[in-house]
Amino acid sequence: MEVTYCRYHPAQPATWHCPGCPRDYGDCCVPLNAEAPDEVPLCPLCRDKLRFLGAANTAQPFWQRIPQFFQYGLQPGALAFAAALCLASLFMPAWKLLWLALFCVASKYLQAVIEDSSLGIREAPSLRSAFSIEGFSLFWRVLVLFLISFAAVWLAADFHSEALFWAVTLGVQLVIPASLIRLALDKTLGAALSPDQVGAVIKAMGWRYLILWAFLFILWQSPGWVTYMLAGGLPKVVLMPVAALLFGYFSVVMCAMMGYAVFQYQGALGYVAVEDEAQGYPAEEYRRRKALAEAEIRLKEGQGTQALELLAMALEAAPNDLFLNERFHQLLFGLDARERCLRHLAHYLPLAARLNPAQAATALLNARQLRADYLPDDALVCERIAQALLARHKTREALSLLRNLHLRFPDYPHIPRAYLLAARGLAEGLGQIEPAQRLLSFIRGKYPQSPLLAEVEQLQDTLRRLVERG
Ligand SMILES: [Zn+2]
Ligand SMILES: [Zn+2]
C-alpha cells in the first residue's frame, strides 16, 4: 500500500477522504474543533461527511522502528512476563495441566501485546492483565491455530519427501504471522483460518510482509542460537531459565512488531486506529483555520469568489486578525477586485502598520498599483509604512507618504520625527542633500521645543561636512 498525500499539500500525508469528490485531505486542510471532538468533519468542497484514514499514512514504517521494538520488551510489564516464564521453568512441577495454564497465560499476554500495539499504544500491557478471566476464549483459538500448523507439518513429514516437508514448513511459517494478525483484529478463528482474510493481510502489506516475516524468523531463531552458544559450559539448571527468559523477551518483541505492522497498515486492512487524542483547536482558532484552509482549497480549485466569501465571513467574526486580513487582501488584489480591495485597505493598512509594518509596506505598494496616488488617511500609518519602505530602499514611495505631512495632519504630534526620517531618506536614499538640509532647517524653525533637535543638528553637521568635502 502506498502512502497517499493531501491533494492540496503534496508533502502532507492524507488523514481524511471524501468518497464523493473523491479527494484526500491532510490535517492541513481539515482542522478539528476541540469543543466538538465527536463531530465528523465535512468535505470542504461538497459538505459530505469525510472518512477518517487514521494513521495509515502518518505512521512511521515498522522497519524504521526496530530499536523501539527491542526497547518495548524492556518495559516492566514485558520483563515481568519474561521473568514469570523463567521462574516457571525453574520451580514449576511437571504437571501437564499447570503447563497448559502457563501456555494459556502466555498466549493471552502476547495477544494483548499485539492488540495494544495495533492501536498505536506504546506501553507494554501489565502482566496482571493476562490473569484476568475474560479473553480466555482467545487462547483456545491461538491453541487451535498452532495445533493445525503442527498437524500440517506433521502430515507433510509423513510423505517422506524432503522437498514437500520444507515447502509446507516454510509455508506455515510464512502464513502464521498474518493469521495471528487476523486473529488479533477480528477475534474469530474463521477469519484467522480463512485463506481470503489471511491473504488480505499479506496483500495489504505487499512485499513488505516479507520484511516483517524475515525479522520474525530471525527473532524466533535467536533464543535458540543464544542457548546453543551458552550450552557449551552451562549446566541444564542454569540453561533452562535463561532460555525461558530469552524466549519470553523475544516473543514480546515479535508481537510488538506484528501489532505495529497492523497499526501501520490499518488503512489497507480496513480499520482505523486513532493515535493519541486527535488534536483539536479552541472554537475561535478552529473557525479561523477552517476558513483559511477552505479558502485556499477554493482558490486552488479556481473558485476565487467562494474563497473571498469564506474569508469575508471569517473576518466578520475576527475583524482584527492580521493573517486573515492579509489573505483577504492578497486574494482581492490577485482577483483584481479594485474597489473592494481599496475599501478593505482602509481597515487593513492601519492594522498591519501597527502589527507588521513590512507587510503594510507590501500592501501599500499593491494599493499604488490600483490607484497611483493612494495615501492612507492617518499620519502614524503613513510614518510607519514610510519607515518600512525606506528599509526596503523604496525611497520615492516612502517620501510620497511623508510629503506635506504637517499640512495634511496639522495636529499630528510627531511631525519632527517624520520629517527627520524624510530628510534621511532624501540624503541617503536619493543623494538630495539640499532638500534634506532645507527640511532639517524647517524642523528647527517650526518645532524649537522638539526633543529630537540634537539629532537634527547632528544630521545637519554630517550633511554640511559632506557638501564641503564634495
Ligand atoms: Zn492540505
Ligand atoms: Zn467532497
Side-chain angles (χ1 to χ4, degrees), residues 18 21 43 46:
C18 175
C21 281
C43 172
C46 71

Side-chain angles (χ1 to χ4, degrees), residues 6 8-9 26 28-29:
C6 173
Y8 303 98
H9 302 95
C28 43
C29 289

Side-chain angles (χ1 to χ4, degrees), residues 79-97:
L79 284 181
F81 170 73
L85 288 189
C86 172
L87 288 176
S89 73
L90 266 179
F91 300 112
M92 220 163 75
W95 299 341
K96 289 207 174 59
L97 214 60

Side-chain angles (χ1 to χ4, degrees), residues 17-23 25 42-50:
H17 177 75
C18 175
C21 281
R23 280 179 178 34
Y25 300 99
L42 304 180
C43 172
L45 289 172
C46 71
R47 298 281 156 214
D48 256 357
K49 280 190 175 169
L50 289 173

Side-chain angles (χ1 to χ4, degrees), residues 117-325:
S117 302
S118 75
L119 296 173
I121 299 170
R122 307 262 160 102
E123 289 85 42
S126 73
L127 183 57
R128 206 180 325 144
S129 65
F131 286 99
S132 67
I133 308 293
E134 60 195 279
F136 265 100
S137 56
L138 199 62
F139 150 72
W140 293 111
R141 295 179 192 136
V142 178
L143 194 63
V144 170
L145 210 63
F146 276 110
L147 285 178
I148 292 176
S149 314
F150 281 128
V153 175
W154 187 61
L155 269 176
D158 241 19
F159 279 90
H160 302 291
S161 154
E162 193 107 330
L164 183 74
F165 174 74
W166 278 109
V168 172
T169 308
L170 279 177
V172 165
Q173 280 189 348
L174 198 62
V175 171
I176 278 186
S179 191
L180 283 174
I181 286 174
R182 210 61 267 184
L183 193 61
L185 282 180
D186 297 339
K187 315 266 185 293
T188 67
L189 205 51
L193 291 175
S194 145
D196 273 358
Q197 301 273 348
V198 173
V201 173
I202 299 177
K203 203 172 136 235
M205 297 180 61
W207 58 269
R208 295 170 193 86
Y209 181 77
L210 287 180
I211 303 183
L212 176 70
W213 177 77
F215 271 116
L216 294 178
F217 186 77
I218 295 168
L219 282 177
W220 188 252
Q221 303 293 323
S222 36
W225 290 338
V226 176
T227 39
Y228 175 77
M229 282 187 280
L230 290 173
L234 292 172
K236 199 175 167 231
V237 184
V238 182
L239 196 62
M240 274 303 284
V242 170
L245 194 71
L246 289 174
F247 176 79
Y249 172 73
F250 281 112
S251 307
V252 170
V253 172
M254 258 166 53
C255 291
M257 194 185 281
M258 273 195 280
Y260 188 83
V262 176
F263 177 67
Q264 188 195 334
Y265 290 97
Q266 51 186 276
L269 291 171
Y271 91 109
V272 158
V274 187
E275 194 178 11
D276 307 323
E277 265 309 281
Q279 290 283 312
Y281 296 102
E284 206 173 301
E285 178 67 8
Y286 159 72
R287 273 193 292 274
R288 174 179 180 270
R289 283 180 183 261
K290 189 159 167 276
L292 284 167
E294 294 192 353
E296 189 179 339
I297 291 173
R298 292 285 176 182
L299 192 64
K300 285 179 176 168
E301 289 291 332
Q303 305 171 357
T305 327
Q306 282 96 323
L308 268 182
E309 292 328 305
L310 281 166
L311 288 182
M313 248 154 57
L315 276 172
E316 258 169 50
N320 290 326
D321 186 303
L322 182 65
F323 196 65
L324 274 177
N325 273 288

Side-chain angles (χ1 to χ4, degrees), residues 339-360:
E339 290 311 315
R340 204 169 168 193
C341 189
L342 287 171
R343 243 181 297 136
H344 175 242
L345 275 165
H347 167 73
Y348 171 48
L349 271 183
L351 184 74
R354 185 158 51 86
L355 300 174
N356 187 342
Q359 199 172 301

